[in-house]
Amino acid sequence: MPLNQIEAFVIVGAMLALFVWDRLRYDLVAAMALLAAMLTGIVPAAKAFEGFSNQVIIIIASVLVVSRAIARSGVIDAVLRRMMQRITSPSAQIGLLSGCVTFLSAFMKNVGTLGIFIPIAIQTAGRSKRSASIYLMPLAFGSLIGGTITLIGTSPNLLISTVRQQIEGKPFQLFDFVPVGLPLSVLALGFLAFGWRLIPQRTGQRPAEDAFDVDRYTSELLVAEGSPMVGKTVSALEAMGEGDLTVAAVVRGGRQRAMPPAHWEFIAGDLVAVQADPTLLKKLADEAKLEVAGAERLAESERQKDDVIVVEAVVTDGSLLIDRTATGLHLRQRFDVNLLAVSRAGERLGARLHRLRFRAGDVVALQGWEQDLPAILAELGCLPLADRRLTLGQKRTGYWSLAILVVAMILVAFNVIPVVTAFFGSAVLVVLSRQITLKDAYGAIEWPVIVMLGCLIPVGEALKETGGTEHLSHALSAAAQFIPAWATLGLVLGTAMLVTPLLHHAAAVLVLGPVAASVAHNLGYSPDAFLMAVALGCSCDFLTPIGHQNNTLVMGPGGYRFSDYWRLGLPLSILVLLVGTPLILAVWPLH
């Protein structure tokens, strides 16, 4: 065996061992592997960073940005919450939630889709007095299987398309995965809707927003012309808050009515003082088309490149705000910030916000320019709390993000523009149209995954060029001589499913993809079926919490133990293996 091939095996073997050891983060392990390959000369320095220019990197980052914009719009969240209020059966609730996650994961990055639905599932569990653990694992598994439906749903599909490009000169198309992924997803959903009974009921961690020991905020909402709340009652508005919102007062014609009766009807122009969490206030304002009072437009001179954000801060003992009002301090005129809400521990605030005299310990929600807010908070003597990325006071972006994504999908489906152009363009448009801020756009990108992929792509290419993959494929091909063709394909699919829990799913694709294609070539088969088997197997990690970040994401909120995953994941994996193998053979013939 040539020296460079031995070195390649040693580097890849060490990398796999470090992945399994799980003491170092996967992006650092990948960077170490690339560095070792450069030092040994296996990867020339001139080609070492070509992985970062690979189209798959751009597509993944772009889809994550668009997914974050859709999540920020609140459209999906608002529609699903209303639907869930009418369903009481746990099987129906889990089936609906998992179904939405599954099919949305075909068109959005599956980790972004799961992030939208986790809070909805936790709230549904709390309202139904059930453990969140029975909801969250089916959601994670649904997002994984749903990602197999299209090219952009999951990283393994994008990566295996890159492997095909290198081998056959052309990548997989956007909907090439549908004939296999769609029927499998439907079967998996039927299983998850009833198989949740296999999951142990656990007590999960509190959601991050519940970790803030802040009483409910008092804020003021304006009932504008055209709002659906015109003619509706106080009780109807409180019902939209599902018990977590209280109407403290209504100001009409300059006169304030404290604690209005439940049958009080709103008219256009009413100013409603409500007490609730700021996240709920934002959702309520969006759904009822209410305007947050005080969120006037800030002066934009020389600010076109800055973002307007909302911060939460505590009024300290030496603050300028103490015993003064927002009006008396000329808060807007002097400091260019808007007061959106105030919380005072152990006290219900009855005064209008602009007339409220601040005290030490009050928590305020202030809206202003991101660049200036740190200095303004210091000048006011306020201590900022941890950033919850509040969007209170911002207009809902509506359906623009979804429309941009749909147009991109149509253009790709009809081969008008390439996939990378469509989704990079979509990411640019959602930022240009202010569906998402630049800060949120950069925050949406999973940089550790980007770094890992950029490092692993040249390492995987080096393994192929040194003949390492050919060496492995000859060993597998020799074993495959004694079993039928369908069993060989099933072996590749099963191997991918077993290897992925030990590695990151992206690493598994980059290692197994070229090997599977070489096995197919040695046996005289078309490589497409084997590449599809690798992509499907690496996407379907249902056995552990570590092979895919979606499984890791629900581990804390669901309170799961490591061994809980195989209880639901093992029968689902067997289902994918038994049904996926003949489906691949039917769609992608071996000859």
Side-chain angles (χ1 to χ4, degrees), residues 30 95 168 246 319 348 428 436 479:
E168 298 187 17
T246 302
S319 172
R348 175 173 289 178
V428 173
I436 187 174

Side-chain angles (χ1 to χ4, degrees), residues 128-140:
S128 305
K129 294 181 170 54
R130 299 187 182 101
S131 170
S133 64
I134 67 172
Y135 293 84
L136 296 180
M137 192 181 294
L139 284 190

Side-chain angles (χ1 to χ4, degrees), residues 2 29 51 103 108 121 147 167 169 181 253 331 354 358 394 422 486 498 569 586-587 589-590:
V29 172
F103 292 113
M108 297 168 58
I167 294 171
L331 196 62
H354 67 280
F358 298 102
Q394 296 180 10
W486 62 266
L498 291 173
V587 178
L590 295 178

Side-chain angles (χ1 to χ4, degrees), residues 27-28 30-31 52 57 446-456:
D27 52 336
L28 179 57
F52 290 98
I57 301 289
E446 298 174 53
W447 295 108
V449 174
I450 297 298
V451 170
M452 182 194 67
L453 293 178
C455 293
L456 285 185

Side-chain angles (χ1 to χ4, degrees), residues 93-123:
Q93 289 175 339
I94 292 169
L96 177 60
L97 286 169
S98 300
C100 292
V101 169
T102 298
F103 292 113
L104 282 173
S105 292
F107 306 104
M108 297 168 58
K109 195 73 171 62
N110 54 20
V111 67
T113 308
L114 182 62
I116 297 173
F117 284 86
I118 286 177
I120 302 174
I122 292 174
Q123 186 182 57

Side-chain angles (χ1 to χ4, degrees), residues 183-200:
L184 264 180
S185 296
V186 172
L187 286 173
L189 279 177
F191 170 76
L192 293 173
F194 298 96
W196 60 267
R197 294 173 176 83
L198 299 171
I199 305 170

